[in-house]
């Protein structure tokens, strides 16, 4: 069995439940004129798409993928930033019956080449530029280093390298369209989503079944009290488990508008917030001090703030918010294996614990994550966990946790 086949086999068997495309098309059918995605495109221009417009754009991208002759089930590397094109590309690859493999745009060429070699991707969907980074050029060079690398490179944006199939015109013809379920003939067999885990021993691809992603996102929706159609503003690109489960998928679950902000700019973020009515903000925990100084954390300007921590993390070193008008949710990303989360305590301390997370409630809800510490190493299992042991279900993300009772106060690589 090849490494790429091992990646696919690590995911749970395909299921007959709701998929990400189902969530998206449900809102497009019920309320197609609602705003789906807003922010900037990869060229820095303001872009807004209703659910109907986004559905037509996704279908246009699917047709372009079909034209290059990829077979359903192919793995497609998706290397995007936090631009409006990113969720459109992910949904299009899934709708085409293929596996989106979410690839960071900032990796050096050698690391990209190693990741692509492990993946065995047939094609790449990317962008011409993300800030000063030129992902399409870097990916073309990385693919050229491989004897059997991806054969096709498609990209959004301007000034694309020679040999790259342009995708931006798939968005131009997607406005003012009457939407009648463009997904009614969607291909069967839901595919997993792959994310790249940069471990100390090298890159590893993690496979996430769609029900696992939805379970993780439900935890964020319930703990953050996200209401139907509440706007979500995220500074995280949908390239990681945390980026998907705190931004794109909660928006699909609630029919909300996903506002994407990137590349990150503090002044631009504050300006974007000033034009929105009580959004749910998703940001890396590294921005907590700046958000605290701007008096946003706990303030009435936000419906909630979701702060994502990655190892090494020091959860006890949090600043007490000045206001308590909105909840703060701490999300601990266990690499690309699972998420643990908990609401901020009254005294300002993060309260991410080993307690089982169940949704919709703690008494009879479905188990999302269960955690324990064995010899200092954190282990997790449940519906929201990727890569658990076939025998026990427990997964070891390679992290060492320090506890105060059941509460996690620090997390470090093993």
């Amino acid at each position: 069995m090849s490494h790429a086949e091992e990646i696919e086999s690590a995911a749970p068997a395909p299921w007959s439940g709701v998929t990400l495309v189902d969530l998206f098309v449900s809102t497009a059918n019920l309320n197609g004129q609602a705003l789906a995605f807003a922010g900037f495109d990869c060229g820095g221009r303001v872009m807004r798409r209703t659910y109907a417009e986004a559905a037509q754009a996704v279908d246009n991208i699917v047709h372009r993928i079909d034209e290059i002759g990829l077979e359903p089930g192919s793995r497609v590397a998706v290397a995007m930033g936090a631009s409006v094109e990113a969720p459109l590309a992910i949904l299009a690859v899934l709708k085409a019956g293929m596996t989106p493999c979410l690839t960071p745009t900032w990796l050096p060429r050698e690391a990209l080449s190693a990741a692509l070699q492990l993946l065995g991707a047939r094609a790449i969907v990317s962008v011409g530029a993300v800030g000063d980074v030129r992902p399409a050029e870097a990916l073309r060079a990385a693919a050229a280093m491989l004897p059997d690398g991806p054969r096709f490179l498609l990209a959004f944006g301007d000034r694309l390298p020679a040999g790259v199939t342009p995708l931006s015109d798939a968005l131009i013809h997607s406005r003012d369209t009457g939407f009648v379920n463009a997904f009614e003939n969607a291909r069967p067999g839901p595919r997993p989503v792959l994310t790249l885990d940069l471990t100390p021993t090298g890159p590893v691809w993690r496979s996430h079944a769609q029900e696992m992603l939805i379970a993780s996102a439900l935890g964020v929706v319930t703990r953050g009290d996200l209401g139907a159609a509440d706007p979500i503003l995220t500074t995280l690109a949908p390239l990681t488990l945390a980026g998907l489960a705190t931004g794109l998928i909660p928006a699909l679950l609630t029919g909300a508008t996903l506002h994407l902000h990137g590349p990150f700019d503090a002044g631009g973020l504050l300006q974007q917030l000033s034009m929105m009515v009580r959004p749910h903000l998703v940001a890396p925990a590294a921005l907590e001090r700046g958000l605290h100084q701007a008096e946003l954390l706990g303030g009435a300007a936000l419906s909630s703030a979701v702060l994502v921590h990655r190892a090494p993390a020091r959860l006890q070193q949090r600043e007490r918010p000045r206001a308590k008008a909105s909840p703060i949710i701490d999300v601990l990303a266990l690499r690309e294996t699972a998420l643990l989360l908990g609401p901020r305590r009254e005294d300002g301390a993060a309260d991410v614990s080993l307690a089982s997370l169940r949704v919709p409630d703690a008494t009879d809800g479905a188990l999302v994550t269960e955690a324990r510490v064995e010899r200092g190493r954190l282990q997790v299992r449940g519906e929201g966990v990727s890569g658990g042991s076939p025998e026990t279900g427990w997964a070891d993300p390679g992290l060492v946790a320090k506890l105060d009772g059941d509460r996690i106060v620090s997390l470090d690589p093993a």
Side-chain angles (χ1 to χ4, degrees):
M1 180 182 291
S2 69
H3 181 83
E5 290 170 333
E6 290 176 357
I7 294 169
E8 294 279 351
S9 66
W15 71 325
S16 58
V18 175
T19 67
L20 302 186
V21 170
D22 291 333
L23 294 173
F24 175 63
V25 73
S26 176
T27 300
N29 280 322
L30 291 173
N31 191 9
Q33 297 312 306
L35 187 61
F37 306 117
F40 296 94
D41 65 11
C42 60
R45 297 173 290 268
V46 174
M47 180 183 286
R48 298 164 64 87
R49 289 291 184 271
T50 66
Y51 274 89
E53 293 167 347
Q56 186 60 58
V58 166
D59 231 29
N60 292 344
I61 298 168
V62 170
H63 289 315
R64 188 60 52 84
I65 293 173
D66 281 342
E67 289 174 354
I68 64 176
L70 292 180
E71 297 179 357
S74 297
R75 286 173 290 276
V76 179
V78 180
M80 316 281 287
S83 64
V84 173
E85 295 97 337
L88 299 175
I90 294 169
L91 289 167
V93 173
L94 287 171
K95 191 266 178 179
M98 300 176 190
T99 300
C101 309
L102 310 183
T103 309
T105 58
W106 46 264
L107 291 176
R109 182 182 305 174
E110 292 75 15
L112 280 174
S113 184
L116 292 174
Q117 184 173 26
L118 287 172
L119 184 61
R122 293 290 310 283
I124 300 170
V125 176
S126 188
V127 294
V130 177
D132 296 330
V133 180
R134 299 282 177 182
E137 291 182 6
L139 285 158
R140 186 182 66 164
M145 297 170 65
L146 304 175
D148 190 25
R151 294 176 54 197
F152 306 102
L153 178 54
L154 306 88
F156 299 92
D158 307 321
R159 295 180 295 164
L160 300 179
V164 176
T165 301
L167 284 176
S168 290
D169 58 342
L171 309 180
I172 294 173
H173 304 296
S174 62
R175 287 196 169 278
D176 302 321
T177 179
F179 176 70
V180 178
N181 197 351
F183 292 91
E184 61 183 1
N185 296 319
R187 290 139 204 196
R191 307 298 301 175
V193 177
L194 271 57
T195 61
L196 188 62
D197 194 348
L198 301 174
T199 72
T201 57
V204 176
W205 288 95
R206 304 294 186 194
S207 184
H208 311 283
Q210 291 189 50
E211 65 265 39
M212 174 263 177
L213 294 171
I214 292 172
S216 296
L218 279 170
V220 175
V221 169
T222 55
R223 290 296 176 93
D225 196 23
L226 273 68
D230 285 351
I232 300 171
L233 174 58
T234 181
T235 67
L236 303 181
L239 294 174
T240 62
L241 171 59
L244 291 169
T246 60
L248 174 57
I249 302 177
L252 297 179
L253 282 167
T254 61
T257 302
L258 180 65
H259 297 261
L260 298 112
H261 179 83
F264 179 74
D265 170 69
L269 177 63
L270 293 175
Q271 182 179 11
Q272 199 168 357
L273 282 169
S274 69
M275 296 185 292
M276 301 175 66
V277 179
R278 287 182 57 80
H280 297 272
L281 175 65
V282 179
L287 300 183
E288 179 172 352
R289 182 176 295 275
L291 294 171
H292 179 82
Q293 292 173 345
E295 299 188 5
L296 288 170
L297 288 183
L302 299 178
S303 289
S304 70
V306 177
L307 300 176
V308 178
H309 307 256
R310 289 187 176 276
R314 302 291 179 267
L315 299 186
Q316 76 272 32
Q317 299 173 4
R318 304 292 107 192
E319 296 194 54
R320 181 178 300 179
R322 297 189 178 103
K324 299 179 182 178
S326 59
I328 302 170
I329 310 301
D330 292 291
V331 175
L332 191 56
L334 309 182
R335 291 207 167 108
E336 295 300 304
T337 299
L339 305 177
L340 297 180
L341 60 152
R344 188 69 62 91
R345 297 191 327 192
E346 287 291 319
D347 62 2
D351 194 15
V352 181
S353 74
L354 300 182
S356 299
L357 173 63
R358 295 178 179 270
V359 293
D361 57 56
T363 55
D364 59 0
L367 175 67
V368 174
T369 54
E370 180 183 6
R372 69 182 184 185
V373 172
E374 293 286 328
R375 299 180 181 178
R377 294 174 71 100
L378 188 63
Q379 298 180 353
V380 284
R381 68 178 176 184
E383 291 297 322
V385 176
S386 173
S389 164
E391 292 79 21
T392 66
W394 289 103
D396 183 347
L399 298 167
V400 174
K402 182 179 179 181
L403 303 178
D404 179 5
D406 278 347
R407 187 165 61 95
I408 299 174
V409 295
S410 68
L411 195 68
D412 291 284

